Amino acid sequence: MPPISSPGAEARFDATIAAEEKIEPRDWMPEKYRRNLVRQISQHAHSEVVGQLPEGNWITRAPTLRRKATLLAKVQDEAGHGLYLYSAAETLGVSREQMQDDLLSGRAKYASIFNYPSLTWADVGAIGWLVDGAAIVNQISLCRTSYGPYARALVRICKEESFHMRQGFEIMQTLCGGTSEQKAMAQDALDRWWWPTLMMFGPHDAESAHSQQSMQWKIKRQSNDELRQKFVDQSVAQAEHLGLVLPDSDLKWNAARDHYDFGAIDWDEFQRVLNGGGHCNRSRIKARRDADQDGEWVREAMLTYADKQRARAVEDAA
Amino acid sequence: MSARRLPLWEVFIRSRRGLDHKHVGSLHAADPEQAMQAARDTYTRRQEGVSIWIVRAEDIHASQSDDAQAFFDPAEDKVYRHPTFYDVPEDLKL
Ligand SMILES: [Fe+2]
Ligand SMILES: [Fe+2]
């Protein structure tokens, strides 16, 4: 049911946002607010779903049963996060099929970081520590987003995320306490994942296309650069504890800013990977297309089974 | 006495914007409109809500309490789904 437009609807919407109240599905909202949310929430959902692939790659090769159970549980959580978010987007009148089509056809984006390959077991540690760590920083901030269903999905997600980062850090800790080869493996994974993780927060505030409007509508609550800084600041002590070196020679404490300064991000690489030039862009989409096609008969069977059950119930009643 | 009965509706109230609708109770009414009016009069006389959902009770499918063990116990031994399972320093914002 489309929200009903009435005189004063826009003023009421603005007042609700200004009062830090949530917008709910049946409320009137500007079409641009709705579209902006659909784009952000569906991209977020796609990222959760595609994000299963780099780690899923290691489930069968996890080094112990404990690690395997953990990784399986984590990847399972990410599938659930995708579901919560798709459901939140559906309250805005967009269908699941449409969102799925947009992903498979390449019209919709997902977090560019998942186009990097997971080459060694240490990558599973680095992904949990850094990629989930960055996602948590971003998602905690988004719990205060102005759209009710999105905010509620994020609260649930953040609660589940809390073990993802810790299990990754624990893997890194174990590797760093192991042989020199194992520690080198951990450093190598950190070297490859560090910069792409910083890119996860998106372009600098001045260059971010959707950011300003999103901040005004309180869809986003903190800027890309603010969140990125928060992540860098928390990562330094964590790397130190592991005895690993963050791969940035410009990284140093700035007492005047009360933050760490860090080096320039390679935005050309970001654009290149975002636009399809990453190592795994094609295989990620292919995996999703295959999953869609391979699942077709299952969905078909579910519907057919339900039809038969209904027909049988009618027969029994007759 | 009429043989026809008024169907049962379950009532869910959102007490404040941003919160989930929560089940508060049920009532009998002939159609959604009546049920909505009755829900307002019954459950929000003291401004308990800003939004009401009503659902036909027969449309709600519930898990069976007899099956609860088999249904929910598999989660019991999956302690690794909780953050406390991991042995990492507590002072590093992990
Ligand atoms: Fe997630
Ligand atoms: Fe996660």
Side-chain angles (χ1 to χ4, degrees):
Chain A
M1 196 163 61
I4 298 143
S5 183
S6 62
E10 182 147 20
R12 266 201 304 282
F13 171 86
D14 290 341
T16 305
I17 299 272
E20 292 287 324
E21 299 260 351
K22 304 292 183 206
I23 303 298
E24 295 293 350
R26 301 287 175 97
D27 294 340
W28 181 89
M29 61 187 85
E31 178 55 20
K32 266 185 156 168
Y33 175 83
R34 195 190 71 83
R35 277 210 306 268
N36 202 325
L37 272 172
V38 167
R39 184 186 48 78
Q40 173 162 339
I41 302 174
S42 62
Q43 260 182 35
H44 193 164
H46 298 327
S47 302
E48 300 284 350
V49 170
V50 177
Q52 295 173 89
L53 298 169
E55 290 170 295
N57 182 35
W58 281 93
I59 290 173
T60 57
R61 291 174 290 165
T64 66
L65 193 56
R66 182 183 190 271
R67 294 286 185 223
K68 186 173 183 164
T70 295
L71 187 56
L72 204 52
K74 178 191 187 287
V75 172
Q76 186 182 36
D77 275 359
E78 306 301 4
H81 297 173
L83 178 68
Y84 306 157
L85 291 164
Y86 283 129
S87 309
E90 284 181 84
T91 64
L92 292 158
V94 59
S95 73
R96 182 76 62 91
E97 289 75 14
Q98 182 63 55
M99 289 186 276
Q100 172 85 347
D101 276 0
D102 287 349
L103 174 65
L104 298 187
S105 70
R107 262 193 308 279
K109 301 248 185 286
Y110 54 88
S112 194
I113 191 140
F114 300 121
N115 293 314
Y116 290 81
S118 50
L119 300 177
T120 75
W121 172 250
D123 288 36
V124 175
I127 291 171
W129 171 33
L130 300 172
V131 179
D132 284 81
I136 291 170
V137 167
N138 189 30
Q139 291 176 145
I140 284 180
S141 173
L142 281 172
C143 284
R144 289 168 51 236
T145 189
S146 58
Y147 188 55
Y150 191 28
R152 291 189 286 277
L154 280 156
V155 168
R156 194 164 293 131
I157 287 172
C158 283
K159 214 172 129 198
E160 298 186 359
E161 285 290 352
S162 55
F163 96 74
H164 296 185
M165 185 184 190
R166 291 165 71 103
Q167 64 85 34
F169 193 82
E170 197 192 64
I171 291 173
M172 294 303 265
Q173 211 171 232
T174 305
L175 288 169
C176 290
T179 64
S180 57
E181 285 99 325
Q182 286 170 324
K183 187 162 184 187
M185 221 165 99
Q187 181 67 54
D188 165 64
L190 170 57
D191 290 348
R192 283 180 292 105
W193 288 94
W194 176 251
W195 289 104
T197 303
L198 294 193
M199 295 174 197
M200 278 174 74
F201 295 96
H204 286 308
D205 299 343
E207 275 111 59
S208 179
H210 305 284
S211 265
Q212 220 189 344
Q213 182 66 80
S214 287
M215 295 280 282
Q216 262 164 23
W217 276 329
K218 299 184 182 172
I219 294 174
K220 281 175 68 166
R221 303 311 308 260
Q222 284 171 289
S223 77
N224 296 352
D225 285 328
E226 253 177 288
L227 294 166
R228 185 166 20 238
Q229 182 71 60
K230 195 171 175 209
F231 174 75
V232 170
D233 288 348
Q234 77 178 31
S235 297
V236 173
Q238 293 165 358
E240 234 161 60
H241 172 86
L242 294 171
L244 297 177
V245 183
L246 295 176
D248 180 356
S249 52
D250 293 326
L251 188 79
K252 59 173 181 298
W253 179 248
N254 181 333
R257 289 201 313 124
D258 213 18
H259 288 296
Y260 282 92
D261 288 338
F262 54 98
I265 292 168
D266 182 354
W267 293 110
D268 290 342
E269 176 180 326
F270 177 72
Q271 287 302 335
R272 186 172 55 76
V273 175
L274 194 66
N275 293 324
H279 215 89
C280 301
N281 297 60
R282 265 174 298 175
S283 72
R284 299 300 185 226
I285 290 297
K286 182 177 183 302
R288 294 313 310 156
R289 284 198 190 126
D290 289 350
D292 185 50
Q293 266 165 31
D294 295 348
E296 180 67 47
W297 73 269
V298 179
R299 294 189 292 274
E300 191 65 43
M302 287 166 75
L303 288 166
T304 307
Y305 176 78
D307 286 344
K308 280 191 181 164
Q309 291 293 308
R310 261 192 299 274
R312 199 161 297 162
V314 171
E315 259 169 49
D316 288 353
Chain B
M1 211 167 60
S2 163
R4 294 178 65 203
R5 293 208 195 139
L6 294 171
L8 187 64
W9 304 78
E10 299 296 337
V11 182
F12 300 78
I13 305 260
R14 186 201 299 289
S15 59
R16 228 166 23 93
R17 280 170 180 280
L19 299 182
D20 288 309
H21 285 80
K22 237 174 119 175
H23 185 244
V24 292
S26 52
L27 49 80
H28 291 271
D31 64 22
E33 231 165 295
Q34 293 176 19
M36 190 64 84
Q37 297 267 348
R40 184 201 59 184
D41 295 344
T42 311
Y43 292 108
T44 65
R45 288 194 310 283
R46 289 169 187 81
Q47 292 187 299
E48 287 91 340
V50 295
S51 166
I52 302 174
W53 282 353
I54 45 160
V55 181
R56 276 287 283 265
E58 63 181 28
D59 286 334
I60 291 181
H61 300 266
S63 59
Q64 301 297 309
S65 57
D66 288 353
D67 302 340
Q69 265 198 337
F71 208 59
F72 298 111
D73 279 2
E76 196 182 79
D77 58 354
K78 312 239 175 344
V79 280
Y80 47 82
R81 285 180 178 153
H82 299 277
T84 43
F85 181 71
Y86 299 91
D87 188 15
V88 295
E90 288 309 318
D91 54 349
L92 286 179
K93 297 188 177 163
L94 289 161

